[in-house]
């Protein structure tokens, strides 16, 4: 481990003096109001909160929870917890009460910061009455002590209290698609290595602007936004809500923009609703209009200043990548896990290959096991799972490589292609193995499809469950529209089946009427499909669907 790397708190104290009066965070407060935090103000408020935490005389290394959507106080709480000698435990702002209760109890949280939340009434039963809570300015109504009151009463913590690089900094509970979440233990040294390597690898500097809106409770946002801004010293803006998202983007005019596939697809669908794909393609082929149209589309999305755009958490279809590239936005796919603080692989500008998640980031060793599993190792790799030595042992090879659970292959330039999850691969009744992810990516190229799940264990051929996009669903009552959509799905099956091996060819597509969401547990908090939940929901109907022998089934 490289202990010469500057640690997160060292970077914080550096910017507190080096950029004291520069704006660091811009927080929407509702309506047209925004709160602006200079580095001096942000670190000052964190110091005051750290004084309050110190006054509670908790044992060193106590776990302190944060449950909130992204906001300035989320980041300042994280710093305050570290300054006071404790460990932060982020909770997703969309968890149900049962999971909230499990994480608070499993981690042994001594205090909980409660922030901006859409469904606090659903979560609150999971918070014990005995647990001390502190409320943020944008919290739902409650009777907890408030952030503003505490920082008005307590003096700033003096000096620059350090933390040992090897100390536990945070426990991140993974949103596992099966079973209880596991607590990933990350040290300050893990975080420092990932943040420093990330900004160097992507050539990120202090002049950047980023919009923070993907959950900070997830490592993707924490590494590249919270820690990235701390290591590069760039400016952060927060999103107010989904309804104001485009205005939030236009306020921030980000130079760096990270998203997940589902949102990139939503952006694309939004554009294509206004300008049909054929018309846009035609306009982009006219030399005089080409630049003007590209600029107009990107400006409408609030992405016209973006010089580096990234996508992670799940694969993007090649069609979507090509569509953005045609607009002049080279989407760089990356790959990482909670267990390595999202620091593993990233495509580099000019070296991308569609279908690949890029090259290993500096300091990452990678190899493919005999079973085809991707194994990675770096100083960003976790300390282990909290209170679960057995699971920790199972997750590492004897020589210290992290077993990712993903199948993959490397090309001649060392770029990694993921070919499916080892546990997701299923066997047909003919004894053939099928990896669903590559087939799902092909289906996702259809503009009306928002989510897809390829299934079919113990059947002769696989099938696909499809959820339509939210802008398409209301049109389903129109018989003519539905017939035209059915015809396009038949064409899609034909195209996909020509491109895959015979045993992978789809028997049919079932279009479901349900919405798969976080709220009904079909999706994880990072919008990944819970495959087992989706499959279980429709299991009783599958045999009947196969018996129908129709290419498109409406459920």
């Amino acid at each position: 481990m490289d202990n010469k790397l500057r640690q997160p708190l060292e970077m914080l104290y550096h910017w507190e003096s080096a950029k004291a009066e520069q704006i660091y965070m811009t927080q929407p407060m509702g309506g047209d109001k925004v709160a602006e935090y200079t580095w001096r103000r942000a670190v000052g408020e964190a110091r005051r909160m750290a004084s309050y935490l110190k006054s509670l005389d908790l044992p060193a290394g106590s776990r302190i929870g944060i449950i909130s959507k992204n906001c300035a106080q989320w980041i300042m709480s994280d710093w305050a917890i570290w300054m006071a000698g404790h460990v932060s435990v982020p909770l997703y702002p969309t968890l149900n009460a049962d999971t909230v209760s499990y994480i608070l109890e499993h981690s042994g949280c001594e205090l909980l910061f409660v922030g901006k939340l859409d469904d606090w009434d659903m979560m609150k039963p999971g918070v014990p009455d005995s647990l001390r809570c502190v409320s943020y300015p944008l919290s739902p109504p409650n009777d907890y002590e408030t952030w503003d009151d505490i920082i008005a009463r307590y003096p700033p913590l003096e000096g620059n209290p350090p933390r040992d690089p090897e100390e536990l900094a945070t426990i991140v509970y993974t949103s596992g698609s099966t079973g209880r979440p596991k607590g990933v233990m990350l040290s300050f040294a893990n975080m420092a290595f990932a943040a420093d390597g990330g900004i160097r690898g992507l050539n990120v500097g202090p002049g950047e602007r980023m919009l923070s809106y993907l959950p900070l409770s997830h490592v993707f946002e924490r590494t590249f936004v919270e820690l990235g801004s701390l290591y590069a010293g760039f400016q952060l803006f927060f999103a107010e809500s989904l309804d104001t998202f485009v205005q939030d983007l236009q306020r921030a005019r980000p130079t760096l923009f990270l998203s997940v596939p589902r949102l990139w697809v939503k952006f694309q669908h939004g554009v294509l609703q206004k300008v049909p794909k054929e018309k846009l393609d035609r306009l982009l082929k006219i030399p005089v209009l080409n630049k003007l149209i590209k600029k107009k589309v990107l400006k409408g999305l609030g992405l016209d200043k973006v010089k580096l755009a990234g996508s992670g958490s799940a694969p993007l279809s090649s069609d979507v990548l090509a569509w953005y590239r045609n607009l002049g936005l080279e989407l760089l796919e990356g790959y990482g896990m909670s267990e390595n603080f999202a620091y593993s692989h990233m495509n580099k500008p000019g070296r991308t290959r569609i279908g690949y998640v890029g090259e290993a980031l500096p300091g990452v060793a990678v190899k493919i096991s005999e079973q085809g599993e991707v194994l990675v190792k770096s100083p960003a790799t976790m300390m282990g799972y909290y209170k679960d030595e057995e699971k920790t042992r199972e997750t590492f090879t004897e020589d210290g490589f992290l077993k990712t659970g993903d199948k993959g292959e490397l090309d001649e330039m060392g770029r990694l292609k993921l070919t499916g999850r080892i546990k997701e691969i299923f066997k047909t009744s003919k004894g053939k193995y099928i990896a669903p992810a590559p087939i799902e990516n092909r289906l996702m190229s259809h503009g009306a499809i928002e989510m897809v799940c390829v299934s079919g264990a113990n059947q002769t051929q696989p099938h696909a469950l499809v959820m339509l996009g939210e802008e398409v669903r209301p049109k389903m009552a129109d018989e003519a529209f539905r017939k035209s959509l059915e015809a396009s799905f038949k064409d899609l099956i034909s195209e996909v089946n020509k491109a895959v091996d015979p045993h992978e060819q789809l028997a049919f597509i079932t279009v479901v009427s349900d919405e798969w969401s976080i709220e009904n547990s079909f999706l994880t908090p990072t919008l990944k499909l819970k495959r087992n939940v989706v499959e279980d929901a429709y299991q009783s109907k599958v045999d009947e669907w196969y018996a129908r022998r129709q290419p498109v089934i409406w459920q």
Side-chain angles (χ1 to χ4, degrees):
M1 182 68 71
D2 182 1
N3 288 342
K4 295 194 189 81
L5 274 180
R6 293 175 84 173
Q7 299 303 306
L9 285 179
E10 286 180 75
M11 295 307 302
L12 188 63
Y13 306 139
H14 166 72
W15 297 120
E16 181 186 23
S17 57
K19 283 194 166 197
E21 301 312 322
Q22 286 195 27
I23 302 291
Y24 169 47
M25 294 189 283
T26 300
Q27 172 67 57
M29 299 300 289
D32 294 329
K33 287 187 280 190
V34 294
E36 293 195 320
Y37 292 81
T38 60
W39 282 95
R40 188 198 299 279
R41 178 184 172 186
V43 182
E45 291 198 13
R47 285 181 178 277
R48 289 170 185 273
M49 187 53 70
S51 279
Y52 162 77
L53 294 176
K54 286 283 231 188
S55 77
L56 303 176
D57 285 329
L58 300 170
S62 289
R63 273 79 59 214
I64 295 178
I66 305 173
I67 188 164
S68 173
K69 291 169 81 171
N70 298 11
C71 60
Q73 282 74 21
W74 199 112
I75 287 178
M76 293 187 281
S77 300
D78 210 14
W79 300 345
I81 292 164
W82 293 341
M83 284 182 198
H86 302 309
V87 175
S88 57
V89 180
L91 286 85
Y92 282 95
T94 49
L95 296 175
N96 60 34
D98 178 51
T99 310
V100 169
S101 168
Y102 172 78
I103 292 172
L104 293 175
E105 188 182 331
H106 186 265
S107 63
C109 271
E110 302 275 2
L111 181 143
L112 179 65
F113 285 102
V114 176
K116 189 181 170 188
L117 295 162
D118 291 335
D119 206 348
W120 176 230
D121 290 342
M122 175 187 79
M123 300 172 182
K124 195 178 178 195
V127 180
D129 293 337
S130 58
L131 185 65
R132 182 189 291 268
C133 294
V134 172
S135 162
Y136 291 166
L138 293 165
S139 302
N142 60 63
D143 53 7
Y144 305 139
E145 287 185 275
T146 70
W147 177 278
D148 288 346
D149 186 42
I150 289 169
I151 63 166
R153 290 198 336 260
Y154 282 81
L157 191 69
E158 291 184 0
N160 292 344
R163 294 292 295 272
D164 186 294
E166 303 304 330
E167 260 187 282
L168 178 60
T170 191
I171 304 173
V172 175
Y173 280 82
T174 61
S175 58
S177 47
T178 55
R180 287 289 195 189
K182 303 185 290 288
V184 173
M185 297 190 291
L186 295 159
S187 68
F188 289 100
N190 293 149
M191 289 182 143
F193 190 85
D196 181 75
I199 63 161
R200 284 174 196 271
L202 298 173
N203 197 24
V204 168
E208 316 297 353
R209 295 184 302 276
M210 278 196 95
L211 181 71
S212 176
Y213 68 99
L214 296 171
L216 275 162
S217 42
H218 185 246
V219 291
F220 189 50
E221 188 83 351
R222 199 108 170 266
T223 306
F224 294 104
V225 179
E226 181 191 0
L227 273 290
S229 68
L230 206 49
Y231 275 72
F234 59 71
Q235 195 175 352
L236 289 187
F237 294 77
F238 293 94
E240 186 172 357
S241 68
L242 266 180
D243 296 337
T244 64
F245 192 71
V246 173
Q247 293 98 293
D248 295 328
L249 260 176
Q250 286 165 347
R251 179 193 293 122
R253 294 166 77 228
T255 58
L256 307 174
F257 187 72
L258 299 178
S259 197
V260 291
R262 198 172 177 200
L263 287 174
W264 285 119
V265 170
K266 271 186 183 289
F267 287 164
Q268 182 197 30
H269 288 178
V271 171
L272 297 180
Q273 266 189 292
K274 292 175 187 165
V275 188
K277 186 174 186 304
E278 295 73 23
K279 186 179 177 185
L280 185 61
D281 289 347
R282 207 165 54 243
L283 290 170
L284 288 172
K285 283 180 183 150
I286 302 168
V288 181
L289 292 178
N290 179 286
K291 277 188 179 166
L292 193 70
I293 298 290
K294 286 179 180 179
K295 197 168 183 184
K296 195 173 178 186
V297 172
L298 291 175
K299 194 167 187 180
L301 290 170
L303 301 177
D304 53 316
K305 298 292 176 189
V306 170
K307 62 181 192 189
L308 193 71
S311 182
S313 131
L316 253 177
S317 81
S318 54
D319 290 40
V320 174
L321 285 168
W323 186 83
Y324 278 103
R325 189 168 291 181
N326 202 23
L327 285 178
L329 199 63
E330 185 180 25
L331 283 192
L332 302 176
E333 285 195 282
Y335 167 65
M337 303 167 66
S338 301
E339 288 81 352
N340 51 31
F341 204 47
Y343 187 80
S344 180
H345 286 71
M346 187 84 190
N347 272 300
K348 295 193 177 136
R351 293 168 65 90
T352 58
R353 180 174 176 187
I354 286 185
Y356 286 69
V357 292
E359 299 162 59
L361 284 160
V364 175
V366 59
K367 59 184 183 180
I368 309 293
S369 76
E370 284 179 16
Q371 292 72 40
E373 184 174 12
V374 179
L375 307 174
V376 292
K377 185 182 190 179
S378 83
T381 306
M382 68 170 180
M383 302 163 80
Y385 293 116
Y386 190 57
K387 294 182 180 171
D388 199 341
E389 287 181 20
E390 186 184 341
K391 192 76 190 161
T392 302
R393 272 196 305 276
E394 286 172 15
T395 306
F396 286 95
T397 62
E398 284 182 15
D399 54 352
F401 276 78
L402 179 71
K403 298 176 184 175
T404 64
D406 288 306
K407 279 179 78 79
E409 53 195 47
L410 297 167
D411 74 2
E412 71 289 346
M413 282 174 62
R415 292 173 297 200
L416 175 65
K417 180 179 188 175
L418 299 176
T419 55
R421 292 285 294 165
I422 281 187
K423 288 178 183 163
E424 282 176 359
I425 289 170
F426 61 86
K427 199 195 261 188
T428 65
S429 59
K430 298 171 183 172
K432 297 278 192 178
Y433 285 99
I434 291 175
I439 307 171
E440 288 166 353
N441 286 345
R442 291 180 185 280
L443 291 166
M444 282 295 291
S445 65
H446 193 290
I449 294 176
E450 187 165 317
M451 303 208 80
V452 62
C453 176
V454 166
S455 188
N458 303 317
Q459 299 287 350
T460 51
Q461 294 292 135
H463 67 275
L465 294 159
V466 157
M467 184 184 91
L468 300 175
E470 60 186 328
E471 68 288 346
V472 180
R473 280 174 240 149
K475 301 176 186 172
M476 294 314 295
D478 178 339
E479 191 61 34
F481 178 81
R482 188 165 161 149
K483 277 187 176 164
S484 132
L485 191 59
E486 179 160 338
S488 75
F489 283 159
K490 286 177 181 171
D491 291 343
L492 178 67
I493 290 180
S494 175
E495 279 171 38
V496 170
N497 285 352
K498 279 180 198 158
V500 298
D501 287 336
H503 69 279
E504 297 174 314
Q505 290 175 354
L506 295 168
F508 56 86
I509 286 176
T510 296
V511 184
V512 302
S513 54
D514 315 309
E515 185 173 352
W516 301 339
S517 65
I518 296 167
E519 290 70 31
N520 62 16
S521 296
F522 277 65
L523 305 183
T524 72
T526 51
L527 302 177
K528 286 182 192 163
L529 203 67
K530 288 189 181 177
R531 198 171 288 277
N532 58 325
V533 174
V534 174
E535 289 176 342
D536 288 351
Y538 305 102
Q539 191 55 48
S540 61
K541 299 169 182 165
V542 170
D543 287 340
E544 182 227 324
W545 292 341
Y546 276 94
R548 284 203 217 171
R549 297 182 177 277
Q550 292 170 346
V552 179
I553 293 167
W554 301 91
Q555 186 270 323

